[in-house]
């Protein structure tokens, strides 16, 4: 079975990429146990609590990322540099993740056969 990495790089609002990636990730979790999830760039914003998407007439799915451990998805990395660049040095995230510098998460990303970016 191929190892698949899911990389979230887009902000939670303004496009459906994050939602589509999350839907695909949850569906694929039934097929593979060898999956890793990476939040890089604006993708780190997907994990911030207390967002209010209704105020911009967007769907509220941010909290859905909390279910990843229920799907046995526990290899999750968040880019430390991306957090700092967005003024989120010590963020509270909606799920437990390894916060790693770019060199560390890139090394992990190289362990995967397929990389899907959303």
């Amino acid at each position: 079975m191929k190892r698949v990495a899911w990389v979230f790089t887009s902000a939670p609002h303004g496009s459906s990429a994050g939602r589509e990636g999350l839907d695909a990730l949850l569906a694929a979790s039934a097929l593979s146990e060898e999956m890793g999830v990476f939040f890089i760039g604006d993708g780190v914003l997907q994990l911030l609590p207390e967002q209010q998407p209704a105020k911009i007439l967007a769907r509220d799915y941010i909290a859905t990322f909390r279910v990843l451990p229920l799907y046995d998805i526990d290899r999750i990395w968040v880019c430390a540099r991306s957090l700092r660049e967005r003024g989120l040095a010590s963020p509270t995230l909606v799920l437990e993740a390894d916060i790693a510098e770019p060199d560390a998460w890139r090394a992990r990303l190289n362990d995967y056969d397929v990389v899907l970016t959303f």
Side-chain angles (χ1 to χ4, degrees), residues 12-13 50-63:
H13 310 297
E50 301 179 22
Q51 295 189 38
Q52 300 175 357
K55 289 191 175 189
I56 60 168
L57 305 176
R59 287 178 53 189
D60 182 14
Y61 73 92
I62 307 308

Side-chain angles (χ1 to χ4, degrees), residues 47-115:
L47 299 179
L48 297 180
E50 301 179 22
Q51 295 189 38
Q52 300 175 357
K55 289 191 175 189
I56 60 168
L57 305 176
R59 287 178 53 189
D60 182 14
Y61 73 92
I62 307 308
T64 309
F65 279 101
R66 290 182 181 149
V67 303
L68 294 182
L70 297 175
Y71 286 78
D72 292 327
I73 301 169
D74 55 6
R75 294 180 199 110
I76 303 167
W77 292 272
V78 176
C79 179
R81 179 185 297 164
S82 297
L83 290 171
R84 283 192 306 273
E85 288 172 348
R86 286 152 185 81
L88 304 167
S90 300
T92 299
L93 304 177
V94 297
L95 71 130
E96 190 173 322
D98 291 324
I99 297 176
E101 293 297 331
D103 289 343
W105 64 256
R106 282 187 192 114
R108 297 287 65 83
L109 189 59
N110 285 334
D111 293 338
Y112 291 88
D113 303 309
V114 178
V115 177

